[in-house]
Amino acid sequence: MIDFKNISYLKTGNPKQQFAFELLTKNKILENLTVFNPILVGTIPINIDIENSDLDIICCFENKLDFIERIKQLFEKESHFAIREIAINNQESVVANFIIEGFEVEIFGQNIPTELQNGYKHMVIEDKILHSRDENFRLEIIKLKKSGLKTEPAFGLLLGLNGNVYEELLNYKI
């Protein structure tokens, strides 16, 4: 089992994972976010990314306004910087996007510990599912993503999940 809270696993991964490690390390992105307990989540860590996949970093804030201010201080100068506040499942959330060295980065913050956020929980269960299946399953997920499906619906389709696949995945038993 990979310790997703330490990005060193990316150093020996595929070329995109290695590039992600270099980009995050060189630009001190996670280091600068340490106070928010950042975790890289999404498709790149579990090797199901497609060409336009971004680097998704989740964070936990105690004070939303302080978080927004810190994100602006750190990244406002980056290309295509945008930040917005949204509610997800009645939870105040902040999403910042920017491009650094030609790579899109998304920083997502909530007042929920990062290991308890759905982005992290989905990635961990998806990784377990991928390890319980063969390479064809992983390639089929990528194929579905390339056809326009989001990650969780792609898993839901291949696993035959009904209803809200985002919720069903959280309860999936391997």
Side-chain angles (χ1 to χ4, degrees), residues 24-59:
L24 291 169
T25 305
K26 181 171 60 173
N27 293 287
K28 299 181 177 178
I29 294 174
L30 297 177
E31 187 179 322
N32 286 327
L33 295 169
T34 300
V35 69
F36 303 111
N37 194 24
I39 302 176
L40 178 67
V41 298
T43 59
I44 292 172
I46 60 174
N47 194 24
I48 55 168
D49 54 285
I50 58 176
E51 188 178 327
N52 62 348
S53 293
D54 60 359
L55 289 171
D56 293 309
I57 300 166
I58 59 171
C59 296

Side-chain angles (χ1 to χ4, degrees), residues 6-9 15 34 39 49 76-77 88 92-93 97 127 130 149 153 155-156 169 171 173:
N6 178 343
I7 63 166
S8 62
Y9 67 92
T34 300
I39 302 176
D49 54 285
E76 196 167 38
K77 69 188 179 323
I88 297 177
E92 285 187 316
S93 307
N97 299 86
D127 185 57
L130 289 166
L149 262 135
F155 272 88
L169 260 178
N171 300 313
K173 301 291 181 234

Side-chain angles (χ1 to χ4, degrees), residues 75 77-81 97-105:
F75 306 112
K77 69 188 179 323
E78 302 301 338
S79 176
H80 300 288
F81 177 83
N97 299 86
F98 55 90
I99 295 174
I100 190 164
E101 295 184 34
F103 217 99
E104 185 176 348
V105 176

